[in-house]
């Protein structure tokens, strides 16, 4: 069955253009496609393969060396110039989220090692993707160890294997294409920056477009070959244009004036590093070649900036991605690249109309096999800076809003910069006149870990025996060990017994008792459950703003360490599960921004609800160890016997061996110390709110050390000396001396 045609897409102009430009110039660095589920992300990526020019390789080379410029360090080389060449179609290599590092990088050839007793290298997916496309669906769910492998290959253009007696390096230059749904969590900043271009996609709300998507999908399902044949001419024309643009690209010139203007645009968005300037310049040149020109115009820079800058202007993971069209227009105008410098619109890329009837979706589109597309010619709205989209039930909308009356129920959640006051009327309609207070900018939080060594999902928080990480020892298979054999250790265990076993000829004779499996030491991701006191006492003196800032900072730390997070709040007379445990930290930040305050303090109900959530998660995900973070001042004022009930709930939680941290939010000169008592009942660490920041304690120590260095030991530090109070007799005598 033929795949869905690229030219049959409805709408999706930006996505089609970004993929096309990456095919014209692989040096751009690939494309990241972000969008809600059901928006044809995977369909259009797979359809792109049929448009790529064929690849000429050295016959028999497993690493796809170019006959005109073979890799001098190719493991299958050196290649003789007289070696015949072969032309094959470009490859699309898919990297599954659950792939192993051996499958990605390659490893020792197991069959030859066991049969012949020799060390031979078997190439992995990166070798297969050389000079082609490497596609990662749900790239934001990729394990950290695989992300590290991709980062190394993308940065160096080579894959290096140093393991199990194998030392191999080979070329690995590919166009990296990733798709993701922001609701399932964000991408690591290092890998995000490696994508040259990014596109936001969203489903259209236009009934005409949705009907066209359905019509084409049903036509494809009824007759895949016949449907694809109707778009064969359009696909062939686009493929020819890509090949022509590749040949024209070396002739495209970027003059110094345009290059300076690109630098002005990138600097105006305060992007980090120089990769934004390089990618924008390369994309503008590719766009000019795609349009059949050898000179870069303002329209090329405009298209490049719109695709290359949105994911680089984010200052922290909770900032909304995207660039406002007005701000982009202003930056281009300031750089002297206004619309008056653009060539005629007829010089753009070719169109892909429906052979049967006019295409309401516009140029360059393809309907998804089971999805919808955005309104034609309308880029997804990204909102203004400092706002995060959220639906009425609090779920984040990472793809942005589309025009239409259906979007009138969206709300905007303000994110107040550090030191700014919350906007007037920012309350969420909470009961009893209570409102919301926006958090300030997050800071670097101190590391909270679960003690002991776990065996959970690989992450970056607590010590654990994981499936990936450093091999600390090998052992026979058994409880607590992995199920993948360690080949070298297995061979070493079998080698001393070959004579006794009567081995004849090449190879090794293995027995079940020879098998060894690795014990790997790494770090795991945990479940961080926040239990937040949102009562009226927390709202006093703007204390809730500091609490939200602390939680937001801990959420940022959880995002960076690949944890799951959940949010329980208590106020009034009950506790509420504001966010079930999820990997999407962005959603947690949105729910936190909407959190109202006011009312009494049902501390016992909050602890009991947290315990119930942890019990369910222990059944659902038994390998992931939890960490309960309670943010409260320790007061309990809801119902009779509120304080004894809260202590009983704390002891009940402590009996379940849940690791807990109590963040003491009590303020004022007179303090009751109730949070410290709660920490004692929970068996938890007691942490003042001011000490959540990682630099609080270290800054005090550094300051004290600097004072000692400049003025010698303080009176407190002198052996046998008591502290001297200011104004005392001893202090006056010392000043006189």
């Amino acid at each position: 069955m033929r795949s869905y045609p690229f030219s049959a897409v409805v709408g999706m102009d930006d996505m089609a253009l970004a993929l096309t430009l990456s095919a014209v110039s692989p040096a751009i660095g690939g494309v990241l496609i972000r969008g809600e589920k059901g928006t044809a992300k995977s369909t259009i990526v797979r359809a792109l393969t049929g448009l790529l020019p064929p690849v000429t390789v050295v016959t028999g080379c497993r690493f796809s060396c170019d006959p005109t410029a073979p890799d001098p360090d190719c493991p299958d080389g050196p290649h003789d110039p007289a070696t015949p060449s072969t032309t094959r179609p470009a490859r699309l290599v898919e990297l599954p989220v659950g792939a192993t590092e051996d499958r990605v990088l390659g490893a020792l050839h197991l069959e030859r090692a066991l049969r012949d007793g020799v060390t031979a290298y078997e190439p992995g997916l990166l070798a297969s993707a050389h000079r082609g496309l490497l596609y990662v669906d749900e790239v934001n769910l990729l394990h950290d160890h695989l992300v590290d492998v991709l980062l190394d290959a993308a940065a160096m253009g080579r894959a290096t294997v140093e393991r199990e007696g194998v030392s191999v390096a080979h070329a690995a230059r590919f166009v990296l294409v990733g798709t993701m749904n922001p609701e399932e969590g964000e991408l690591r900043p290092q890998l995000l920056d490696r994508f040259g271009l990014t596109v936001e996609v969203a489903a259209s709300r236009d009934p005409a477009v949705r009907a066209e998507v359905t019509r084409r999908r049903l036509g494809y399902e009824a007759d895949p070959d016949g449907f694809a044949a109707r778009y064969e001419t359009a696909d062939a024309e686009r493929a020819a244009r890509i090949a022509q643009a590749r040949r024209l690209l070396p002739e495209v010139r970027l003059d110094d004036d345009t290059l300076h203007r690109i630098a002005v645009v990138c600097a105006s968005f305060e992007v980090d590093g120089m990769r934004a300037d390089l990618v924008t310049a390369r994309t503008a040149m590719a766009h000019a070649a795609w349009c059949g020109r050898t000179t870069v115009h303002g329209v090329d820079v405009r298209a490049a900036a719109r695709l290359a800058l949105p994911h680089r202007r984010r200052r922290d993971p909770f900032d909304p991605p995207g660039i406002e069209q007005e701000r982009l227009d202003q930056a281009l105008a300031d750089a002297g690249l206004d619309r008056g410098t653009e060539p005629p619109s007829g010089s753009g890329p070719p169109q892909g109309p429906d052979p049967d009837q006019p295409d309401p979706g516009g140029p360059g589109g393809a309907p998804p096999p089971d999805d919808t597309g955005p309104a034609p010619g309308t880029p997804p709205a990204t909102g203004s800076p400092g706002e995060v989209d959220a639906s009425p039930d609090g779920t984040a909308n990472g793809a942005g809003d589309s025009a239409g009356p259906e979007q009138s129920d969206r709300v905007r959640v303000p994110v107040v910069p550090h030191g700014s006051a919350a906007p007037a009327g920012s309350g969420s309609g909470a009961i009893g006149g209570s409102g919301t207070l926006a958090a300030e900018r997050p800071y670097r939080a101190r590391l909270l870990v679960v003690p002991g060594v776990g065996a959970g999902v690989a992450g970056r928080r607590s010590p654990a025996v994981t499936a990936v990480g450093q091999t600390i020892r090998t052992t026979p298979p058994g409880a607590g060990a992995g199920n993948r054999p360690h080949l070298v250790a297995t061979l070493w265990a079998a080698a001393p017994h070959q004579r006794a076993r009567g081995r004849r000829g090449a190879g090794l004779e293995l027995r079940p008792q020879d098998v060894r499996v690795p014990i790997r030491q790494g770090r795991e991701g945990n479940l961080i459950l926040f239990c937040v006191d949102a009562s009226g006492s927390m709202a006093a003196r703007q204390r809730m703003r500091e609490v939200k800032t602390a939680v937001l900072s801990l959420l940022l730390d959880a995002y960076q360490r690949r944890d799951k997070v959940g949010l329980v709040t208590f106020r009034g007379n009950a506790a509420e599960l504001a966010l079930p445990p999820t990997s999407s930290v962005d959603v947690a930040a949105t729910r936190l921004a909407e959190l109202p305050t006011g009312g009494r303090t049902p501390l016992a109900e909050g602890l009991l609800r947290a315990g119930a959530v942890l019990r369910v998660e222990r059944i659902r995900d038994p390998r992931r160890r939890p960490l309960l973070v309670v943010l409260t001042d320790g007061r309990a004022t809801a119902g009779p016997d509120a304080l004894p009930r809260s202590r009983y709930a704390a002891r009940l939680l402590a009996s379940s061996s849940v690791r807990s941290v109590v963040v003491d939010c009590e303020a004022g000169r007179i303090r009751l110390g109730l949070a410290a008592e709660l920490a004692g009942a929970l068996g938890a660490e007691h942490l003042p709110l001011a000490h959540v920041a990682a630099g609080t304690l270290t800054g005090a120590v550094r300051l004290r050390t600097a004072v000692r260095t400049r003025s010698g030991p303080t009176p407190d530090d002198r052996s046998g000396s008591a502290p001297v109070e200011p104004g005392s007799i001893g202090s006056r005598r010392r000043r006189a001396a």
Side-chain angles (χ1 to χ4, degrees), residues 74-133:
C74 177
D76 287 352
H79 297 297
D80 192 330
T83 303
S85 60
T86 305
T87 300
R88 60 165 176 79
R91 289 175 179 167
L92 172 68
V93 178
E94 296 194 34
L95 174 59
V97 172
T100 63
E101 189 174 350
D102 292 346
R103 185 69 187 97
V104 176
L105 278 176
L108 192 65
H109 196 295
L110 182 61
E111 182 180 355
R112 294 193 60 186
L114 296 179
R115 183 189 62 201
D116 304 328
V118 299
T119 300
Y121 174 68
E122 184 176 10
L125 296 178
L126 295 185
S128 301
H130 180 48
R131 304 177 65 194
L133 293 176

